[in-house]
Amino acid sequence: MNDKISAWVFDLDNTLYPASANVFAQVDVKMREYVAQFLKIDQDEAHRIQKSYFREYGTTMRGMMTHYNMDPAPFLDYVHNIDVDMVPPSPALSDVLGELSGKKYIFTNASTGHAERILARLGIAQHFDGIFDIVDAGYKPKPNPEIYDLFVEKFQIDPQTSIMVEDIARNLEPAAALGMQCLWIKTDTKWGKDGVGEPYVHYETDDLVTWLQGAV
């Protein structure tokens, strides 16, 4: 497979590092705090709104922008101001990324700053040719199909010879529609499993490094 792939497109969180690192637990708390402060409500109500918007809009941020005209920049700065030390460096991932032909990109609903910190912590930043973040997407989250077109346009990739790797299965649907091959990183989360079994999930694994080693 390796020599047939011109672009490897990776989601970031819970994809390039295991969900067991529990980075999202920190982000989750920070989002709840921000919503509570912004709307001047208690933490329980903030949590309810946060999860409701995540389900309806794909991100809490998008819901807050839609309903309250919230400026997304301070929100992103606040929720991504976290300790990334729980993410274990991955020399094995670095090794296999170095063996893959083709360009490598990050396509994330998070910010570029957050992506850069995670990549540095993992020890794999040197392997990537570009990052497409939520700002590039006009603050629209995956799986909005139009932002996949923006991603392809920004980096001038050929979807027919590209593969996307993602821990939320439904986020692979627009990629497959463009012609990409799609790999789902197995997760125990309910939202991550949404879309599992659909024809747009071409491959799945619970061990990204081992899967990539098999693709070299």
Side-chain angles (χ1 to χ4, degrees):
M1 173 186 289
N2 183 26
D3 59 354
K4 298 177 182 177
I5 300 296
S6 63
W8 298 80
V9 183
F10 294 91
D11 176 50
L12 182 77
D13 293 306
N14 297 341
T15 295
L16 289 176
Y17 62 84
S20 58
N22 220 14
V23 169
F24 189 75
Q26 288 188 73
V27 176
D28 194 54
V29 169
K30 300 278 275 186
M31 284 194 288
R32 183 168 71 246
E33 290 173 352
Y34 197 92
V35 171
Q37 293 164 14
F38 189 88
L39 298 179
K40 297 179 173 55
I41 56 178
D42 63 38
Q43 296 280 320
D44 288 344
E45 179 63 9
H47 184 257
R48 185 194 68 76
I49 289 173
Q50 172 192 349
K51 296 306 179 184
S52 172
Y53 288 170
F54 175 78
R55 287 191 297 270
E56 185 173 355
Y57 295 99
T59 62
T60 299
M61 181 186 70
R62 191 69 204 178
M64 291 292 290
M65 291 172 66
T66 300
H67 288 273
Y68 299 103
N69 200 31
M70 183 190 76
D71 181 353
F75 176 87
L76 287 171
D77 288 343
Y78 186 86
V79 303
H80 289 141
N81 182 21
I82 59 169
D83 178 9
V84 299
D85 285 350
M86 75 287 294
V87 176
S90 183
L93 179 56
S94 181
D95 287 345
V96 74
L97 287 173
E99 294 177 21
L100 295 176
S101 63
K103 303 228 172 176
K104 300 163 196 79
Y105 302 100
I106 298 296
F107 184 5
T108 178
N109 280 344
S111 66
T112 291
H114 175 68
E116 289 173 341
R117 288 188 290 274
I118 293 291
L119 294 177
R121 177 63 183 166
L122 284 165
I124 61 174
Q126 69 274 20
H127 298 295
F128 286 88
D129 298 281
I131 297 170
F132 186 95
D133 76 344
I134 194 69
V135 180
D136 293 308
Y139 299 104
K140 294 179 181 178
K142 294 179 284 186
N144 284 283
E146 60 266 32
I147 71 171
Y148 293 69
D149 293 328
L150 292 174
F151 171 83
V152 168
E153 181 180 354
K154 178 177 180 177
F155 296 118
Q156 292 296 295
I157 71 167
D158 178 1
Q160 299 294 327
T161 56
S162 301
I163 184 167
M164 184 167 177
V165 185
E166 168 74 60
D167 71 300
I168 299 178
R170 64 188 170 92
N171 288 350
L172 293 169
E173 185 174 11
L178 289 172
M180 293 187 196
Q181 297 181 62
C182 295
L183 168 64
W184 176 58
I185 304 299
K186 292 182 181 178
T187 175
D188 290 331
T189 63
K190 182 178 179 181
W191 64 86
K193 291 178 179 177
D194 185 11
V196 172
E198 295 293 337
Y200 52 78
V201 178
H202 305 132
Y203 311 100
E204 59 182 61
T205 185
D206 57 7
D207 187 333
L208 176 61
V209 171
T210 298
W211 193 91
L212 291 175
Q213 287 169 341
V216 171

